[in-house]
Amino acid sequence: MTDTARDILTPTQLNTLARDLLEGAFPLVWVEGELGNVTRPASGHLYFTLKDARAQVRCAMFKPKSQWLKFAPREGLRVLARGRLTLYEARGDYQLVIDSLEEAGEGALRRAFEELRARLTAEGLFDDARKRALPAHVRRLGVLTSPTGAAVRDVLSVLQRRYPLVEVDVLPVQVQGETAAGQIVDMLQRAARSGRYDVLLVARGGGSLEDLWAFNDERLARAIAASPVPVVSAIGHETDFTLADFAADLRAPTPSVAAELLVPDRRDLLARVQALQRRLATTQAHRLRNAMQRADRAALRLQALRPQARLEMLRRRQEDAARRLHALWRDQQARRQAALRHADAVLRAHAPRRRLEQLRARLLALAPRPQAAVARTLQRDALRLRALARSLEAVSPLATVARGYALITKEDGTLVRSVAQVQPGERVDAQVGDGRLTLRAES
């Protein structure tokens, strides 16, 4: 090819061809590496390099994607990035345009989560047809959570405010760590077998995917699905999802919302009772007016016929019926008022201040018991000690010596039991009741 026939490209054309080649040859790729040269200019875009021990690649993550990152990119952080290869034509720079960026450890967990979720979904473990409706009125609630976390405080606060009549048992379990999933499974199965609870609530505050990983355990998901008692899941914040959420009969965005979903508001119940009371009073008044109108019409008909005796009898019957109806209405009103007073008394009886007073009185009643028990134990031990002392004294060789006998020992401390042990002229010691004598054997 002559010089005039050669294809001559401009830098722009060359870079465009190289960019098209890169973008056409590579689909979306996943790259794991260490962040370096992290910058975020005023435009809001994020620029950095991904590197390992031998190479690095320039990366760009534009503002619409970078502003939703769940962590702050920093130098030296190991990340997992997904993007497409391209070439920045203006400078001829080869780069990776990122559309997803996450910490490397969390990325591995998320892949494991998605794989397990897909497998359990294929088994039908998360099907809506399998889930059960919650009871209309929850009488006893078991809350599986950490007894010291914020989640249990939120749940108890909402339940106390909305419906103090519900009985709540906090079933303490670990909610984070390697042994947490096993504890939750064991507690869930024991609570379900007890038959005590209408609903079980599995709750935990927010955290990272690693913090919530115990609730992505396959054993826990299967235990929730197999529970004979309806299970409500409230794990983390509204944007957090775990396998426990998918397996549960109901998923709540937060522990507080779960408590609101499980019990009615006592103010709504009181308003409903008052509305029913007004409706009952209206119905009774309406029926009473109708009865009185019918009685009036009957009296008019009887008066027109002028049967005096029959009219008097019917008048008395009408008055008796009116009195009975009015008395019945008063009785029903009194029963409704008594029911309302009883409900109010029950609510007051469950007030925290009254409960604290009862517990304080019980503590004061139990306080003297340990002191009395300690005194009885000391007295019993003293009697045993004196008995042992008497037994030891009975078998002690010193008691024998005190009765006039002596213990003969050689100079090396050996007890003399036979005359054959002592030679003529040898010194021995004699232990008597009030001291020790030094003797010499003559023969």
Side-chain angles (χ1 to χ4, degrees), residues 325-384:
L325 184 60
H326 191 64
L328 178 61
W329 181 81
R330 286 200 309 270
D331 291 344
Q332 289 179 345
Q333 287 288 92
R335 284 197 295 272
R336 297 296 179 182
Q337 293 292 339
L340 286 175
R341 288 194 296 272
H342 176 71
D344 182 70
V346 171
L347 287 174
R348 293 179 184 275
H350 286 78
R353 180 176 300 173
R354 183 180 181 89
R355 179 63 174 165
L356 286 175
E357 292 174 356
Q358 293 174 350
L359 292 176
R360 187 179 294 110
R362 184 179 178 186
L363 180 61
L364 291 175
L366 293 177
R369 294 187 182 180
Q371 297 177 356
V374 170
R376 288 195 299 272
T377 302
L378 290 176
Q379 184 179 8
R380 186 172 61 252
D381 290 343
L383 292 174
R384 289 184 59 194

Side-chain angles (χ1 to χ4, degrees), residues 8-160:
I8 300 175
L9 302 175
T10 65
T12 299
Q13 292 172 327
L14 179 61
N15 285 347
T16 300
L17 289 173
R19 185 199 65 190
D20 293 340
L21 181 63
L22 280 174
E23 294 180 353
F26 287 90
L28 285 174
V29 294
W30 288 90
V31 181
E32 184 174 345
E34 182 179 313
L35 287 178
N37 302 322
V38 179
T39 59
R40 189 190 289 271
S43 63
H45 305 320
L46 184 65
Y47 300 97
F48 54 92
T49 59
L50 278 177
K51 57 185 179 180
D52 57 18
R54 299 177 58 186
Q56 65 180 16
V57 59
R58 291 179 180 271
C59 301
M61 191 173 192
F62 299 122
K63 182 178 179 180
K65 299 288 186 181
S66 65
Q67 65 183 355
W68 296 107
L69 287 177
K70 295 183 178 180
F71 66 97
R74 61 183 184 276
E75 296 284 332
L77 182 67
R78 193 163 188 84
V79 297
L80 182 66
R82 184 186 69 183
R84 55 182 177 83
L85 285 171
T86 187
L87 185 139
Y88 183 48
E89 298 177 41
R91 290 198 300 266
D93 288 339
Y94 159 90
Q95 66 179 2
L96 187 64
V97 177
I98 306 297
D99 65 4
S100 173
L101 188 67
E102 57 194 19
E103 296 185 68
E106 183 169 333
L109 290 178
R110 191 166 297 281
R111 289 196 298 273
F113 167 80
E114 294 297 341
E115 292 173 0
L116 183 55
R117 176 187 174 186
R119 178 161 59 82
L120 296 181
T121 300
E123 292 182 18
L125 197 71
F126 304 148
D127 289 350
D128 290 338
R130 181 196 61 75
K131 300 180 185 295
R132 293 157 298 182
L134 301 183
H137 296 285
V138 179
R139 295 177 300 170
R140 298 187 183 92
L141 174 65
V143 183
L144 285 75
T145 188
S146 169
T148 60
V152 68
R153 293 195 297 270
D154 293 342
V155 169
L156 295 179
S157 175
V158 172
L159 292 177
Q160 180 63 30

Side-chain angles (χ1 to χ4, degrees), residues 215-349:
F215 298 93
N216 290 319
D217 189 273
E218 181 177 355
R219 295 171 300 165
L220 178 57
R222 294 188 181 278
I224 291 175
S227 172
V229 179
V231 178
V232 177
S233 174
I235 311 301
H237 301 302
E238 186 170 358
T239 57
D240 297 324
F241 283 89
T242 65
L243 294 180
D245 294 323
F246 294 113
D249 298 292
L250 176 66
R251 185 254 177 185
T254 63
S256 299
V257 174
E260 293 179 356
L261 294 174
L262 285 170
V263 297
D265 192 335
R266 60 179 176 180
R267 291 171 297 185
D268 295 339
L269 289 178
L270 182 58
R272 184 180 177 186
V273 170
Q274 291 173 345
L276 290 174
Q277 183 182 7
R278 290 191 297 269
R279 181 179 175 185
L280 177 62
T282 302
T283 302
Q284 289 175 337
H286 179 69
R287 290 183 177 179
L288 181 59
R289 284 194 301 270
N290 290 339
M292 294 179 68
Q293 289 173 1
R294 288 194 300 271
D296 290 341
R297 288 194 297 270
L300 291 174
R301 287 196 301 270
L302 287 173
Q303 186 176 4
L305 296 175
R306 298 184 181 277
Q308 297 299 326
R310 184 173 177 81
L311 179 61
E312 183 64 20
M313 182 186 65
L314 291 177
R315 184 183 63 78
R316 289 195 297 270
R317 289 179 59 186
Q318 182 266 333
E319 290 176 352
D320 291 342
R323 284 195 297 271
R324 287 197 301 270
L325 184 60
H326 191 64
L328 178 61
W329 181 81
R330 286 200 309 270
D331 291 344
Q332 289 179 345
Q333 287 288 92
R335 284 197 295 272
R336 297 296 179 182
Q337 293 292 339
L340 286 175
R341 288 194 296 272
H342 176 71
D344 182 70
V346 171
L347 287 174
R348 293 179 184 275

